[in-house]
Structures are given as C-alpha cells and as structure tokens.
Amino acid sequence: MTDWYLGLAGFLLLNLGLGLVRVLRGPTPADRMVAAQLFGTTGVAAILLLGQGMQERALVDLALLLSVLAAVTGVAFTRLYRRVQ
Amino acid sequence: MSTLVFLLVGVGLVVMSLHALFVHTHLLRQVLAINVLGTGVFMVFIAWGSQSPTPHADPVAQALVITGIVVAVSATALALALALRIKQTTGRATLSEETEE
Amino acid sequence: MDWVLEASALSLFGPMGLALDLLLAAGLLWLAWRVLYSPDLFLSVVLFISFGLLVSLAYLRLRAPDVAMAEAAIGAALTGTLLLYTLRHMGVPIEPPRLAQHRLLTGLALLMSAGLGWAILTMPGFSDGLVVQVTQHLPQSGVEHPVTAVLLNFRAYDTMLEVAVLLLALVGVWAVSSTELRLPAPSAVLRGMVSVLLPPGLLVGGYLLWVGAYQPGGAFQGGAVLGGLLVLLFLAGWRALAAGWLLRLALGAGLLAFLAVGVLAMAGGSLLEYRLEAAKNLILFIEFFVALSVAATLAMLLLGRPGSAGEQQP
Amino acid sequence: MSLELALILLGMPFFLAGTVGLLRFPDLLSREHAVTKADNLGLGLVVLGLMLGAESVLLAVKLFLIWIAVLVASATVAQLIAHTVIDAGSETGGGS
C-alpha cells in the first residue's frame, strides 16, 4: 500500500516536471505564471499522497496551509504586473 | 538513504549558488543566490538531523532551521529594499562602478 | 559508513521511496540551476517559487514537517511575492548573466563541491545527545511537541531575539524604501475570493498555532499563514489596515509578550525560566502574540513604508 | 484493490491531461482552461478517495476544506491572469 501512494506521488512530481517546460517556454510572463499555478493543485495532491504513503498525518496540515496560500503569488503577479493606466 | 541523497543535494545547492553569487553582478540575482545558498545549508542541517531515532527529525535542528527561514525572509526583504533604493538612486542594478555605461 | 545504513534501517521507505527521493533531488538541482542562471529574471523568480515547493517536499521526506510548513509559507509564498514586487519596480526584463572570470570560478566551484562532498561523507556519525536531552526534558517543558519545546522553552532566548530581528529588519526596510505599493483598483472577483478565503484561512492559521503544542505547527507556521492572508488583503485593496494602529501594535506585541513573560519568570528563577505548572499557558500566551507579530511583520515587509501612502489619502 | 485507492487512481489521468493541455494547447486561455478544469477534478478525486479512508471526521473536514480552498484560489487566479492578458493584448509588461 505504502509503495502505491509513494509511486503516485512520484507520478504527480513527474507531472510537475512536465509542467515546468511551459514555465520555461513562456513566452509571456502570464504563461509562466499559469504553469506555476499548477504547483498549487498538483503539489497539494502530491503532498496528500506522500502523507498517506509515509503515514504522516501532519502532512494534511501542510496541504491545508498550502491550499490557503495557493493564491498569494498568483494574485501578487496579476496585481503588480498589470499596467497602471 | 533519504539522508544521503539530500545531504548531497544540499552540497550541490551551496556550490551552485556560491558560484552564481560571484558570477552575477545584478543585485536581484545575488539575492536569489543567497536564498538558494541558505536553502542548501538548511537542507544539510535537516538531512543530518533526519537520522534522529525520534518519529520526526532532530527537533533542535528543526527549530534552528525554522528560525533560519524566518530570519532569511526578513534579510531578503531588507536586501531587496536596498537594491530597489540603489536602482532608484543610481539608475544601476549593480554595485560595481565601472562595468556599466 | 555506518550511519547511512542506520538511517535507511530507520526509514520506512523502500525502493519506491528511494526513487521518489532521487526524482526530487534531480528536480531540486535542475530548478536551482535554472533559477540561478536563466537569462530572464522574471523566469528565475517564478522558478524560485516552484523551487520552494520542491524544497518543502524534500523536508517532508526528511521527516521535518514543521520546517516544511515554514518553507512552504515563507520560503515560497512570501519570498516569492517580495521578489515579484521588487522585480516589477526595478524594471529589468532581460539581462544576460555576466560571467566574469567564468572558467576560473567554475574550476573553483568544482573543487569546492568535491571538498564539501568529502567533508560531508566523512562526517563523524550522528550523535543523538541533543535529541536524548530534548526527549528526556520534554515532560518539563509544558508542551508535547519537541520542536515547540525547543523554540519556546529550551532555546527561548534565540526565539525572542529572532522576533526582535524581524522587527529590526522591518525598521530597516522602512528606513531605505521610498516607494509605496501602487495598485490598480481591485476587481470584484478578487475581493470576492479574498472574502471567501479569509474565514477558513484565519481558522487554519489559528489551528496551526494551537496544535503546535502537541504536533507539527506553532507560532511561526500559524503566523506565516496569517501573514499570507494579510498580503492577500493588501493586494485586494484593503490598504487602510496598514495605516491603522492595530497593525502597528501587532508588530511589537510578540517581543513585548516575550519580554513580559521572561521578566515575570525572573520572580521565581531566571529570565524565561517558566515554572512547570504555568509553562503551557505561558508558552501559548507568547505564541499567540508572536504569531500576530510574525504575521504583521511579514506582510508589512512587502508593503514598504506605509506612512507615505496613508498621508495622501483622505 | 480498495475503493479508496481506485478513486485516487482514477484522478491521476486528469492531472496528466491538465499537463498535456498546458504543453500542447496553442494559447494562454485554452491552456488555463486545461489546467484549472483537469487538475481540480483530479484533486477532487484524490481528496474523495482519502476522505473514504479518513479515520476521523476532523480529517475528512480538513481534506474537503483543502479541495474547496484550492478550487476557489485556482479559479480566481486563472480569471485574474486571463484578464491581464485580455486588457493588455498579448503583452503584460515586466518580463519577456
């Protein structure tokens, strides 16, 4: 069972790695930011599975923390990088 | 094995960021390099402390690194504010006098 | 290398765990390389945010959930926001890295990595002296979670001074920054999201603060969550918060509470030496105010000098 | 295989689909569409699976809260990023 969850967490990590290709390619800052947002969702899922695989309940709290703060950098980007007319 | 893997990652991070710190002159890049450098040191600490026989890694190492992370972010904020001020005052994003036009 | 065997015997990770670790390690090193050397600074900053999340995952693998929480909240979210903000105001889109004396430095770096690697591989075995000490004295600390016991009791001096360092850094930022955060009017969607996220966010922050007494969590993790929420509030246009006296009071509250408790404890012993029966309450008291201070300070670090903005507005 | 694991496994293709969409779709808005839709469904299935195996109500509530918070955050940020693009044409200022 443990291995299943660790394996699935690894699968999600690989997914994140693929998503990074889009961060690198861009071409605009907005493209990079959208790809980075992937880390919010997929990262939370990976942490949940890792927590299940490692029998570590505290990881749910970490996922909770991440989900609440998932919007911060994205919002900062859209607020700061919009042209102030 | 996690210990060994991440100890070496920590070494890699420290070396890479030291190199970057010397090579780059742009202030923001230097701040980034210092942040990665700190992360490398923290990683070595935690990896070493993960050998603890307790359910979680060595609590003293964890406490030190938590303190370190908070101090790092405040130092980063101060460095960034300084960098911004330097840019506004001199028009340059570097500290060196002669490399720029 | 006895200690390596010992460590692997301890861990419950089989080959799948090792594969995961190697994947993470490769990702970390590759991301760090791109963060440090990509020609586009904006790209570097975005990658740094992603790097923070991977670092947090690495701490999880190393069984350090407390550190993972601090890294995820502070290292990734707040540092990332600070970097985005500074980059925006410095306005340097693309700048090729300057490779002064490239060859020589690369040689030196390689030499150093060999030296550091050697030093680490030949380190004397892990000594659990401190761990044993902490475990033995845990019942006398007032809390059940060892990391919190170290932070708020055994090494409370360090933590108190750290809270002071945070405050000093903020004073420094105020002293040198002349810019203020200028933002366009927030959209209804953004304000809506913030008002939806705020109540559960406050709950999570308070929860992390509370459970720190007996499981991973605590003042810094809870405070960082609250700080992130404050940043969201500022970004969504609730700027008046920063000018108010409430936030200013919160800035100093942690240090004041720490000092007050520390000095009061001197009545029975020496500075910051709590009596056992009062320890838990005192620690929670300090943690509550430290969390408020951490939250307020982290958010204000981003905001720059609040006075200038407040004076112009009616 | 337990229902718990089955649900989680069912969620995995959605993550892959989101990533593939992110890489293959031609423009920002359709990529956003791919990422937000697919990943949130994937996370939903993972959360649902873990909720089935949760040993306490508190844990189940936390898991559900995680899903809702991510849903709200990702939907809003996607909308906000889309707007920076629509408002400014293809250029958003700042980086390259």
Side-chain angles (χ1 to χ4, degrees):
Chain A
M1 272 310 255
T2 304
D3 268 6
W4 269 99
Y5 289 114
L6 291 183
L8 291 178
F11 171 77
L12 290 182
L13 266 184
L14 280 176
N15 238 329
L16 281 183
L18 272 179
L20 276 176
V21 174
R22 178 53 72 194
V23 180
L24 287 177
R25 275 206 212 140
T28 67
D31 287 288
R32 303 192 200 284
M33 222 47 221
V34 168
Q37 279 291 304
L38 185 74
F39 274 77
T41 327
T42 313
V44 165
I47 285 170
L48 286 175
L49 293 178
L50 204 58
Q52 196 73 7
M54 290 173 69
Q55 304 293 316
E56 169 75 80
R57 283 281 158 252
L59 295 206
V60 177
D61 290 347
L62 174 68
L64 204 53
L65 177 152
L66 265 179
S67 66
V68 170
L69 296 182
V72 174
T73 46
V75 168
F77 166 73
T78 61
R79 299 293 286 152
L80 295 170
Y81 283 74
R82 173 185 278 192
R83 285 254 158 79
V84 186
Q85 259 89 34
Chain B
M1 279 318 269
S2 299
T3 305
L4 184 60
V5 171
F6 290 111
L7 272 178
L8 293 179
V9 169
V11 171
L13 294 181
V14 167
V15 171
M16 250 196 276
S17 51
L18 265 181
H19 180 255
L21 188 61
F22 291 138
V23 162
H24 293 308
T25 53
H26 193 286
L27 288 170
L28 256 175
R29 290 190 178 283
Q30 294 191 330
V31 174
L32 274 173
I34 290 174
N35 266 288
V36 176
L37 179 66
T39 303
V41 176
F42 296 155
M43 184 86 62
V44 170
F45 245 90
I46 294 296
W48 194 253
S50 75
Q51 298 173 76
S52 160
T54 45
H56 289 138
D58 185 343
V60 181
Q62 284 204 66
L64 277 174
V65 171
I66 290 173
T67 313
I69 289 174
V70 176
V71 169
V73 73
S74 47
T76 302
L78 185 54
L80 289 175
L82 271 171
L84 196 53
R85 191 60 190 269
I86 287 168
K87 166 81 180 175
Q88 283 163 347
T89 314
T90 65
R92 284 194 309 261
T94 63
L95 277 181
S96 47
E97 300 276 318
E98 73 282 353
T99 47
E100 219 118 331
E101 58 277 289
Chain C
M1 289 192 293
D2 287 344
W3 57 267
V4 174
L5 291 174
E6 219 176 292
S8 64
L10 271 174
S11 60
L12 27 85
F13 326 126
M16 196 60 99
L18 180 62
L20 195 61
D21 286 342
L22 290 176
L23 196 62
L24 256 178
L28 278 168
L29 290 173
W30 183 76
L31 259 180
W33 174 59
R34 296 311 302 163
V35 166
L36 295 169
Y37 298 103
S38 80
D40 181 344
L41 249 175
F42 181 82
L43 176 58
S44 287
V45 171
V46 173
L47 288 175
F48 181 79
I49 297 169
S50 313
F51 174 73
L53 191 107
L54 276 201
V55 172
S56 179
L57 280 171
Y59 290 147
L60 289 184
R61 290 292 298 155
L62 294 168
R63 300 180 301 143
D66 291 270
V67 182
M69 285 182 196
E71 172 67 30
I74 299 173
L78 290 165
T79 310
T81 308
L82 273 169
L83 286 165
L84 279 175
Y85 168 78
T86 313
L87 180 59
R88 176 62 171 145
H89 284 264
M90 280 179 99
V92 270
I94 299 182
E95 200 229 13
R98 286 172 206 287
L99 301 176
Q101 295 108 33
H102 187 72
R103 290 257 172 74
L104 179 68
L105 282 171
T106 310
L108 274 177
L110 284 176
L111 210 66
M112 201 183 122
S113 55
L116 269 180
W118 178 78
I120 277 186
L121 290 179
T122 54
M123 264 204 278
F126 179 74
S127 144
D128 56 3
L130 278 176
V131 180
V132 170
Q133 289 267 319
V134 169
T135 316
Q136 271 174 0
H137 293 92
L138 197 57
Q140 291 143 45
S141 71
V143 287
E144 290 151 47
H145 184 50
V147 179
T148 307
V150 173
L151 275 173
L152 270 304
N153 196 336
F154 304 146
R155 305 285 310 162
Y157 280 114
D158 287 356
T159 313
M160 184 168 79
L161 290 177
E162 181 203 359
V163 175
V165 166
L166 255 181
L167 202 56
L168 272 180
L170 181 65
V171 173
V173 169
W174 279 353
V176 295
S177 78
S178 59
T179 44
E180 39 160 308
L181 198 57
R182 266 203 317 269
L183 298 169
S187 66
V189 177
L190 177 60
R191 291 183 81 106
M193 179 202 75
V194 173
S195 40
V196 169
L197 275 183
L198 195 61
L202 287 173
L203 200 64
V204 171
Y207 165 78
L208 284 177
L209 172 63
W210 178 255
V211 298
Y214 52 90
Q215 67 185 53
F220 292 104
Q221 293 87 337
V225 170
L226 298 178
L229 289 174
L230 267 179
V231 168
L232 269 183
L233 274 174
F234 289 154
L235 289 171
W238 277 281
R239 296 276 307 286
L241 272 175
W245 56 272
L246 210 66
L247 202 67
R248 304 265 179 133
L249 203 64
L251 290 176
L255 191 59
L256 285 178
F258 234 130
L259 273 174
V261 171
V263 171
L264 277 179
M266 278 170 81
S270 55
L271 187 66
L272 284 170
E273 229 169 64
Y274 326 123
R275 286 211 315 279
L276 178 57
E277 59 273 19
K280 171 154 191 184
N281 289 332
L282 286 179
I283 285 176
L284 272 176
F285 175 80
I286 296 174
E287 279 201 292
F288 176 76
F289 288 106
V290 166
L292 283 187
S293 278
V294 167
T297 316
L298 289 177
M300 298 285 260
L301 283 175
L302 173 76
L303 204 65
R305 212 168 49 188
S308 49
E311 282 151 22
Q312 284 152 16
Q313 286 160 3
Chain D
M1 197 193 321
S2 63
L3 181 61
E4 182 188 345
L5 195 56
L7 275 173
I8 293 173
L9 274 175
L10 199 61
M12 293 300 121
F14 286 100
F15 285 103
L16 189 62
T19 312
V20 169
L22 182 73
L23 291 182
R24 304 283 304 177
F25 282 1
D27 61 290
L28 183 92
L29 296 181
S30 46
R31 280 184 219 132
E32 268 194 336
H33 171 84
V35 173
T36 50
K37 298 286 185 305
D39 282 21
N40 285 323
L41 265 176
L43 182 64
L45 285 167
V46 168
V47 162
L48 203 60
L50 292 178
M51 273 169 87
L52 286 184
E55 66 263 30
S56 71
V57 180
L58 177 65
L59 185 58
V61 170
K62 278 194 220 165
L63 286 166
F64 187 67
L65 189 60
I66 288 169
W67 187 50
I68 296 294
V70 169
L71 212 57
V72 170
S74 74
T76 313
V77 171
Q79 197 267 1
L80 291 172
I81 292 180
H83 261 277
T84 60
V85 180
I86 293 165
D87 289 357
S90 62
E91 205 204 12
T92 33
S96 69

